[in-house]
Amino acid sequence: MPDINIRRVKKSDTDFILNLLPSLADPELPHWRDPDVMLDIDQRILKSEIHDGSEDNAIFIAEDVATKQQLGFIFLEIGTDYYHREPHGHIADIIVSPDARGRGIGKMLMAKAEEWTKDCGYKLLTLNVFDDNKKARKLYKSLGFSPDLTKYGKILE
């Protein structure tokens, strides 16, 4: 397996990240979720993060050391728990390039998320995942994550 480097995002990574975003809608989405709206919002947020930055957030890129090929990214934010009101690390997005999947890149990015969260002084790392995204849920469970709350929705006519 080639050496993989996990590094901070650069402005030159913008197109790579934006081109991966449509795969967030790969698993079956709840019927009230509009993938075009999701994509538009994610694009705007990530472009702003990459170009303006925020000291409370971080984006990391996984890349092949030898070829400099970008393999995936993770977008991290600071969240606040509704009940205990303490800040914590939160994974907003994580995507591995289709051609790099199955190589442990997601696990490396998740390890970076844990490191970043600890470096920020927090003891909790959270993420959201669509219920039908069984592959991602399996990965998260294998890394020690467990379900917390389940959000239900109903469109009212």
Side-chain angles (χ1 to χ4, degrees):
M1 177 181 217
D3 283 337
I4 306 299
N5 180 41
I6 308 292
R7 62 162 174 80
R8 286 268 186 176
V9 72
K10 298 180 217 171
K11 288 181 182 176
S12 60
D13 297 313
T14 303
D15 287 343
F16 168 72
I17 288 174
L18 297 180
N19 288 332
L20 280 182
L21 284 178
S23 68
L24 284 175
D26 283 351
E28 177 118 2
L29 298 174
H31 69 278
W32 64 83
R33 295 281 182 193
D34 182 332
D36 294 329
V37 170
M38 290 172 51
L39 180 60
D40 179 60
I41 290 170
D42 261 334
Q43 285 175 338
R44 284 189 278 135
I45 289 170
L46 284 163
K47 277 184 195 175
S48 176
E49 277 302 318
I50 294 166
H51 294 275
D52 302 327
S54 164
E55 60 186 54
D56 289 340
N57 302 331
I59 301 173
F60 293 98
I61 299 286
E63 75 178 3
D64 185 294
V65 172
T67 66
K68 301 296 184 206
Q69 178 188 9
Q70 300 143 315
L71 305 170
F73 79 94
I74 191 165
F75 173 35
L76 304 166
E77 301 175 307
I78 295 175
T80 302
D81 185 80
Y82 180 81
Y83 293 106
H84 63 69
R85 308 307 301 163
E86 292 179 13
H88 62 271
H90 180 77
I91 299 167
D93 289 315
I94 178 171
I95 308 175
V96 175
S97 297
D99 58 334
R101 292 180 185 159
R103 295 172 43 192
I105 307 300
K107 287 181 182 179
M108 290 179 209
L109 288 166
M110 294 293 288
K112 187 65 174 181
E114 289 185 25
E115 177 186 313
W116 178 82
T117 299
K118 288 178 187 176
D119 288 349
C120 289
Y122 307 129
K123 296 179 179 170
L124 176 65
L125 177 60
T126 64
L127 57 84
N128 296 318
V129 61
F130 286 110
D131 194 50
D132 280 346
N133 195 342
K134 292 174 182 27
K135 190 171 185 178
R137 290 175 48 210
K138 183 178 177 182
L139 170 65
Y140 303 145
K141 186 174 181 177
S142 77
L143 296 174
F145 286 78
S146 57
D148 180 19
L149 299 171
T150 300
K151 180 178 178 178
Y152 281 77
K154 177 182 178 181
I155 296 295
L156 305 176
E157 312 262 346

